[in-house]
Amino acid sequence: MNEAPGLVRVQLLLLGLAARRWMNRFTAAFRRPPKEGDPRTGTARKGAVGGVWSVLLIGVLLFQGGHLSYQLLGKFAARAEIRAGNVPATATFADPARAWATSGPQLTRALGAMLLLVALCQLVLAFGGANQDLGRVEWTLEWLFTFPASTGALFLAKTAEYALVNAYTWIMTLPLLGAFLFASGAGPWAIPLALAGTLAFSFMLAALRLLAETWLRTRFRIEKLKTLQAACTLVGTLLLMALFGAGATSALPASVLDALLDFPARALWIPWALPAALCDRPAFAVPLAASAVAVVGLSLTLARRLVRDGLLTSSGVYQGERGRRASSARVSGILGKDLRVLLRDRNFLVQTLAVPLVVLAFQLFLNPGMLKGIASDFRHAAAAAYSVGAYVLLCSAFHVLTVEGGTLWLLFTFPVPLDRILRRKALLWAAFAAVYTLGVLGVAAIYAPPRDWTAIFEAVLAVVGVVLYAFTVAALGALATDPLQTEVQRRFRPDMVYLAMLLAGIFAATIYSPSAWQRLVQTVLTTLLALALWQKVRDRIPYLLDPTEAPPPRVALSDGLIALLAFFVIQALLAAAFGTILPPALALLVAYSAGGAFVSAFSLFVFWRHKVPDLLRSTGLRPDRPGAFPRSLAWGVGAGLAATAVAAAYLAVLKRSEALRPFLEDATSVKTIGASWLAVLAIGAAPLVEEFLFRGLIFRGLRRSWGVTASVLACAGLFAAVHPPISFVPVFALGAAAAIAFERSGWLLAPLIAHALYNAAVFLVLSR
């Protein structure tokens, strides 16, 4: 039998494993996912691209941490100089290097106090939201306990993992130490000293965390630990916001600065404040290292004693005491289960329902100008109310699938489709979020009554946006969740979190839109996006528990919506670029044609890369039945004439209406900006681009989930919404006629003919 590996070998193996796990988790947002239709493996594909993006992101975070640390140091320096009488009492920032000559000891003590606050923040966060299951030993440690390695070696490797791959340590502690060391005059030694101090700080903090976790797991029941986690989540969130706010806010209260500057010198001997002494005596690195070794050694010794009778205190998952059964349940089924889980899991309860209010209160305290803004314009109140509701949903509805864990397979046995169950869960969280939104709106209305009736529409828009966002974020969470992952932190893709935050920001900006039409269009797009995402959820559900197969590639509604949004953005950018060198009409034609050609070609390329079967027929570029040409010609001409008749009747109404006649006069001004180029755009480019996007992609995506009538109306409504409001009625008729012609003919030629005929007739009338 081979001898057991030595201590050094065990540390290298386990640290390599921890580093790989951390990198896989961190780079999940930047890795290219496998192609749809290809068999997937249990482990996501690794690649060098994710590592490059990870390094860039870490660099950005370190730079931001350094900037905030320097701003905080400047505030400390200004306060120290004010107390010494060297600068005016109104100063909020001073040169740290100059202040160090007269106030160096005070700044060192302030650094020691900040390090203790950082240590407390990281420790509390480790017990709260960062540690998803404090009541159970990680399966990896339980598995490693069966290996021929000593308990001390395993605990030492765990300490090193906590110390080296803890992002909070490097983002918060290293920039803070570096900024103070540079100001103290360490010169080129500032960076190595900051690294040494951060490393010692991190190892001492990791040892304390390991010891505390081991003691808690061996002494308390799960329900007690969940209560502790809830408190830690709340306190940790407050500390984290306070620490980042200290550097970001324009001014800190003088009492806070004085308290930190007057931190007792003897308290600097607390192990986690010791790195501050490097600012005064760089040679203190040697005693600091010895202190770190002593703290780690003592913590490991105590931790080993705690598990001398075994790593686990119970062999099963059923721990705690059974409470008294409720006589009746007002909410039953899957929703009742979710409510009971919410009430029992106090950590999840705090993260979902308490932290959003804490964040809002802290933001108002940190930025008093927000209150003035809310009082001056009710749109700010509506945006704040929507943001609170969206934050609640991001912490709750995003996890509709993640919270099921290993019991997900039970939902597949229910006589209800899984996507319907998930939508019910999303509706439950939408109700919770709407209560928060209405509460914020009510408080804002009491303290800052709205000045006109438009505030009602802004409030309604905020509530509607929260409800729509509930279904959007629930669908994103379901798409991001991998229930086969054993680690909770890796069960969902973090890039979906960023996408959910981006979508929330886009709708929040809608509240500030000056036009009611723009708000309506954004609401329609948001609704369709939610429907499109749930279409993808339904495609994925049958493969959730399959480790090797993925949904077959298909053209979905979300593909059409993304292509449409991309076309609008690219067209606007090209129009701005060509608008300075070409006449307006020609610039519009070039931007429209180039943007449409690029988006269409790129969409087809993406579908081809994903191996969408029978791509040309799937997008309507090739007929799907024989005899398509005469049928398409007939349906196209008929649909075009029908839409033209509606447009003619509508124009007649406009001419007879005194209120609507100015809009008609604005529309007939096309002949003054280049009628010939606009004719090419209206009759040639627009039908080609818009029919591919709206009928070939969006209508086909709608038909996968809805019937013909609903799909025709939805596609026509979206088609009309992206056009000027005055043309909604005839454009809606054109969109409906084109969709019917496409449905009957199976080829994009029919709606293209209808669109070209309609545009030609309308252009001739308007340009006369």
Side-chain angles (χ1 to χ4, degrees), residues 644-731:
T644 302
V646 174
Y650 184 72
L651 286 173
V653 173
L654 289 183
K655 291 179 180 179
R656 295 179 180 179
S657 174
E658 294 292 338
L660 299 179
R661 190 174 299 169
F663 296 101
L664 180 61
E665 295 174 355
D666 292 339
T668 57
S669 63
V670 296
K671 57 186 178 181
T672 64
I673 59 173
S676 58
W677 295 120
L678 290 179
V680 176
L681 171 63
I683 302 172
L688 288 171
V689 174
E690 293 178 1
E691 291 310 314
F692 175 76
L693 293 176
F694 283 95
R695 256 59 70 178
L697 300 184
I698 294 177
F699 179 74
R700 278 285 170 90
L702 289 169
R703 283 290 287 119
R704 286 184 48 201
S705 303
W706 294 356
V708 175
T709 302
S711 299
V712 167
L713 295 177
C715 185
L718 178 62
F719 181 63
V722 299
H723 287 76
I726 190 63
S727 63
F728 183 87
V729 173
V731 173

Side-chain angles (χ1 to χ4, degrees), residues 302-387:
L302 295 175
R304 290 179 61 186
R305 288 181 60 84
L306 289 172
V307 298
R308 62 184 180 274
D309 296 328
L311 185 65
L312 302 178
T313 59
S314 174
S315 59
V317 296
Y318 304 102
Q319 301 182 24
E321 300 176 356
R322 183 181 295 275
R324 183 172 60 87
R325 180 181 178 182
S327 58
S328 62
R330 302 198 175 192
V331 181
S332 59
I334 193 70
L335 299 185
K337 186 268 295 183
D338 276 8
L339 287 176
R340 285 189 290 273
V341 169
L342 178 66
L343 294 176
R344 291 174 182 173
D345 192 342
R346 297 176 181 86
N347 189 37
F348 187 45
L349 179 68
V350 168
Q351 288 180 348
T352 304
L353 303 180
V355 169
L357 293 180
V358 172
V359 172
L360 176 63
F362 187 80
Q363 288 295 329
L364 293 176
F365 172 77
L366 197 63
N367 302 307
M370 291 181 60
L371 288 175
K372 297 180 180 179
I374 291 175
S376 63
D377 191 340
F378 195 78
R379 289 181 301 175
H380 299 324
Y386 169 78
S387 301

Side-chain angles (χ1 to χ4, degrees), residues 313-483:
T313 59
S314 174
S315 59
V317 296
Y318 304 102
Q319 301 182 24
E321 300 176 356
R322 183 181 295 275
R324 183 172 60 87
R325 180 181 178 182
S327 58
S328 62
R330 302 198 175 192
V331 181
S332 59
I334 193 70
L335 299 185
K337 186 268 295 183
D338 276 8
L339 287 176
R340 285 189 290 273
V341 169
L342 178 66
L343 294 176
R344 291 174 182 173
D345 192 342
R346 297 176 181 86
N347 189 37
F348 187 45
L349 179 68
V350 168
Q351 288 180 348
T352 304
L353 303 180
V355 169
L357 293 180
V358 172
V359 172
L360 176 63
F362 187 80
Q363 288 295 329
L364 293 176
F365 172 77
L366 197 63
N367 302 307
M370 291 181 60
L371 288 175
K372 297 180 180 179
I374 291 175
S376 63
D377 191 340
F378 195 78
R379 289 181 301 175
H380 299 324
Y386 169 78
S387 301
V388 172
Y391 189 88
V392 170
L393 293 170
L394 198 60
C395 297
S396 57
F398 189 84
H399 302 281
V400 291
L401 202 56
T402 309
V403 295
E404 298 300 332
T407 62
L408 176 61
W409 65 273
L410 285 173
L411 298 183
F412 281 92
T413 66
F414 287 12
V416 179
L418 181 57
D419 64 293
R420 188 181 302 174
I421 294 175
L422 297 179
R423 288 198 300 271
R424 291 177 183 175
K425 291 156 69 79
L427 186 61
L428 171 67
W429 291 115
F432 274 106
V435 170
Y436 277 72
T437 302
L438 290 172
V440 175
L441 289 172
V443 173
I446 292 174
Y447 287 96
R451 300 176 180 177
D452 51 41
W453 57 269
T454 58
I456 298 177
F457 295 99
E458 293 162 355
V460 170
L461 185 62
V463 176
V464 170
V466 165
V467 174
L468 292 176
Y469 188 69
F471 290 94
T472 301
V473 76
L476 288 174
L479 292 173
T481 300
D482 184 358

Side-chain angles (χ1 to χ4, degrees), residues 30-83:
F30 309 109
R31 289 195 301 265
R32 181 172 59 87
K35 301 176 185 177
E36 293 187 11
D38 290 350
R40 67 182 183 186
T41 59
T43 302
R45 184 186 70 86
K46 285 95 177 171
V49 176
V52 172
W53 282 107
S54 302
V55 171
L56 291 176
L57 180 58
I58 291 175
V60 171
L61 292 176
L62 286 175
F63 174 80
Q64 183 67 17
H67 174 71
L68 294 177
S69 298
Y70 183 75
Q71 293 296 321
L72 178 62
L73 175 57
K75 296 166 191 173
F76 280 129
R79 185 58 188 171
E81 292 288 84
I82 289 173
R83 300 203 308 182

